[in-house]
Amino acid sequence: MAEHVVVIGAGVYGAAVSAALLRRGARVTVVDAGAPGGGTSGATFSWLNSCGKQPRAYHDLNVAGMAAHRKLAAETPHSDWYHEGGNLEWTDDEADLAQLREKVTRVLGYGYEARWLTRSELLRLEPDLDPAGLPADDIAYFPREGWLEPTRMIAYLLAGADVVRGDAVTGLDVTGERVRAVALASGQRLAADAVVNCAGPRAADIAALAGLTFPMRNTSGTLVYTSPVAVAVSRVVHAPRVHLRPDGAGRLLLHGHDEAAAEKVFADACALYPGIGAATVESVRVGERPIPGDGLPVLGRAEALPNFHFAVSHSGATLSVHAGDLVAAEVMGADVTDALAPFRFERF
Ligand SMILES: Cc1cc2nc3c(=O)[nH]c(=O)nc-3n(C[C@H](O)[C@H](O)[C@H](O)COP(=O)(O)OP(=O)(O)OC[C@H]3O[C@@H](n4cnc5c(N)ncnc54)[C@H](O)[C@@H]3O)c2cc1C
């Protein structure tokens, strides 16, 4: 069992792994090159879902991720970083509608909650939408989905860990198939019984320090944050040209196609909800999605280096609390072989 664990990265994964390790009795040092939540977890749409995720094992992992958020929020006073308002999705393209129908049928077959709404039912949920641009029916509603304020959850989960900020990991001392210590840019050296790689989009660099080749195919996405505006956007909305959700204190978070300029994303949101025209764009952030080579998470120990562990994925907002708990359990000697089997590093 590991006594002192060094967690590299203080995003949603680093925070979730750290909290789960502390709960199991480890001493934890979390090291981040910048500030906690300053990486992808601070520039994400953070929609909590398992909507169209394949294969089945990945769908199930995301469903477990959603359940873990629900449980954490129910157990934690003032945990209003978690918002379960559902998700709406529709399209104005015939081919996309066929795909949406297929997705709804598939997730219903998995026992996931989904139903179809008409335009008037949609307008009861989202009354500030412009009815002119809406289809008469075929509007998919996924009532158990939601969204997360990741930085607030990170702050809560990091309580109790030693957090080293603004100091990058620059080396790993590896001898005899074990990581012995973590070297930092400041010259500090942290002895470790186990190390967890939660470096998000930079996870391949950390793996390389351990002598491991980790293929990643990261992509980036632009997020547009509005000023506070009195428009009723109460849940996650996936309309044909723009995705949006509330972002706290009356702000909205808008997300378009990856190559779309912020002005276009804002204009598309205004066409959908005319009241958004009273807002301004307060900030634009570009987030880098940490995507392992085959798109699926990489979780758990490296076979060649059994005290070096991975907790890296896209959809980390959804997955981190549950997947981080599985990774921490393995660090502390529990047998989670079945749960982690589809997501091992060795498949590369
Ligand atoms: C545009 C966009 C939209 C997204 N939408 C969703 C969504 O709707 N739903 C969803 O579930 N997920 C979504 N994601 C993905 C999700 O946000 C990420 O999977 C998740 O935030 C990754 O968290 P992380 O902790 O792995 O990485 P990060 O938050 O990036 O944390 C990694 C940390 O490691 C630190 N670090 C890096 N290198 C070093 C080093 N050498 N030494 C020390 N520290 C280091 C960084 O400073 C950083 O703070 C989206 C991502 C993007 C970009």
Side-chain angles (χ1 to χ4, degrees):
M1 188 172 109
E3 280 174 23
H4 179 225
V5 185
V6 176
V7 175
I8 303 173
V12 282
Y13 264 113
V17 168
S18 155
L21 286 166
L22 287 167
R23 218 169 39 241
R24 289 178 164 80
R27 186 163 66 81
V28 182
T29 305
V30 184
V31 184
D32 199 290
T40 306
S41 302
T44 168
F45 194 61
S46 51
W47 163 38
L48 304 175
N49 76 96
S50 186
C51 201
K53 296 185 182 176
Q54 294 193 75
R56 181 65 195 260
Y58 185 47
H59 170 86
D60 290 344
L61 191 75
N62 279 273
V63 169
M66 293 163 70
H69 275 295
R70 207 170 282 133
K71 180 166 179 288
L72 175 66
E75 288 171 358
T76 312
H78 313 299
S79 57
D80 52 353
W81 55 74
Y82 172 74
H83 305 269
E84 188 174 317
N87 164 45
L88 293 157
E89 188 172 344
W90 68 92
T91 176
D92 52 12
D93 175 275
E94 270 306 310
D96 290 347
L97 179 58
Q99 279 182 16
L100 183 60
R101 287 201 177 114
E102 211 178 284
K103 179 169 79 175
V104 168
T105 305
R106 186 173 56 246
V107 297
L108 283 170
Y110 290 168
Y112 194 77
E113 280 187 55
R115 61 179 182 267
W116 292 105
L117 304 182
T118 61
R119 178 167 44 211
S120 55
E121 288 169 323
L122 169 63
L123 287 167
R124 275 202 288 278
L125 293 176
E126 292 291 315
D128 286 349
L129 279 165
D130 180 357
L134 303 174
D137 47 26
D138 288 326
I139 297 149
Y141 179 45
F142 305 92
R144 302 308 300 276
E145 296 179 0
W147 62 277
L148 182 73
E149 296 177 58
T151 44
R152 295 189 54 224
M153 185 184 78
I154 290 169
Y156 168 77
L157 292 175
L158 284 178
D162 286 334
V163 182
V164 178
R165 297 153 197 259
D167 203 353
V169 171
T170 53
L172 299 174
D173 291 356
V174 180
T175 48
E177 294 183 357
R178 288 189 74 77
V179 185
R180 309 283 168 172
V182 176
L184 307 186
S186 61
Q188 204 184 343
R189 187 178 173 279
L190 302 170
D193 299 305
V195 171
V196 189
N197 180 358
C198 299
R202 301 283 77 79
D205 300 343
I206 299 299
L209 296 177
L212 303 170
T213 304
F214 178 12
M216 292 186 77
R217 51 171 176 91
N218 302 343
T219 60
S220 57
T222 303
L223 298 151
V224 179
Y225 299 78
T226 73
S227 58
V229 62
V231 175
V233 178
S234 305
R235 51 189 49 77
V236 181
V237 174
H238 284 83
R241 273 158 291 284
V242 63
H243 307 160
L244 68 165
R245 64 161 175 80
D247 196 43
R251 289 181 175 77
L252 301 174
L253 174 51
L254 319 177
H255 184 29
H257 294 299
D258 279 352
E259 60 285 358
E263 297 73 26
K264 160 106 175 61
V265 175
F266 186 72
D268 286 338
C270 292
L272 197 62
Y273 290 84
I276 294 178
T280 54
V281 172
E282 258 190 8
S283 65
V284 178
R285 286 182 223 163
V286 177
E288 188 177 356
R289 302 181 183 91
I291 310 185
D294 61 359
L296 295 176
V298 173
L299 303 171
R301 78 157 54 94
E303 215 170 272
L305 208 55
N307 73 336
F308 182 79
H309 304 254
F310 288 90
V312 185
S313 76
H314 182 44
S315 290
T318 304
L319 291 170
S320 53
V321 173
H322 173 65
D325 187 52
L326 291 172
V327 170
E330 185 165 74
V331 172
M332 299 304 283
D335 182 359
V336 285
T337 313
D338 290 348
L340 294 184
F343 308 112
R344 294 285 184 190
F345 172 69
E346 285 66 36
R347 69 180 186 271
F348 291 110

